[in-house]
Amino acid sequence: MQYGYVSQDQWADRLAAALRDSESESWSRRTAAGRQLAAWAEREEVGPVLERLLLDAHDTAVTQETARALLERRDLVGLRAVLAALSRAEEWSTVDQLDGEVFGYQSRMIADDRTDEFVDQLVRLAADNDKGVRDEALRLSRPGKQP
């Protein structure tokens, strides 16, 4: 038995299962799907599903865990996805949850001496094609206007 090797077919099966679970009635399955799908955030078919999970109308645990998984990537793709959802969120509880996750991400980046990296991400996202992403990145980069 080989450990650590996952074939292309196995990856495709895992992705398909996570996409199916993202539509489950069960909040815990949607939450697990959000965590798993964060690894594939660059994929065109995954982006809209992640946004739906980030804006989950039924349970903020889905929002929280999906956002955390995306932000744990510590890259532009993950932060962009969360900022895009934040800019589209309409429910106060969702806005509050996403804003809190972004604040936590910012705090972890600062604590890990990665402030320059975080600032660079905001600068790049302030020039994004999506107005909502741009606005959120600009809001975060203004002193005294943090989440």
Side-chain angles (χ1 to χ4, degrees), residues 13 27 42 45-46 56 58 80 85 115 118 131 139:
D13 290 345
W27 69 268
E42 304 86 356
E45 71 271 27
V46 173
D56 191 276
H58 305 290
R80 184 189 186 285
T115 304
F118 179 70
K131 181 182 179 336
R139 179 181 67 88

Side-chain angles (χ1 to χ4, degrees), residues 71-131:
L71 295 171
E72 285 170 2
R73 295 169 51 111
R74 294 188 175 210
D75 66 2
L76 200 63
V77 172
L79 180 57
R80 184 189 186 285
V82 175
L83 293 184
L86 181 56
S87 76
R88 291 166 182 71
E90 295 178 4
E91 295 294 325
W92 178 87
S93 59
T94 304
V95 171
D96 189 50
Q97 189 69 56
L98 291 171
D99 218 29
E101 294 305 324
V102 171
F103 178 73
Y105 174 69
Q106 176 187 18
S107 297
R108 286 187 300 278
M109 293 294 278
I110 292 168
D112 292 346
D113 200 27
R114 297 174 77 171
T115 304
D116 290 344
E117 185 178 339
F118 179 70
V119 170
D120 181 59
Q121 289 173 345
L122 292 179
V123 167
R124 293 176 67 191
L125 291 172
D128 196 88
N129 290 334
D130 183 304
K131 181 182 179 336

Side-chain angles (χ1 to χ4, degrees), residues 2 8 18 20 27 35 64 70 75 82 86 97 104 120 127 134:
Q2 287 185 334
Q8 289 288 68
R20 274 192 311 276
W27 69 268
R35 289 203 67 77
Q64 177 183 24
L70 284 162
D75 66 2
V82 175
L86 181 56
Q97 189 69 56
D120 181 59
R134 283 194 314 268

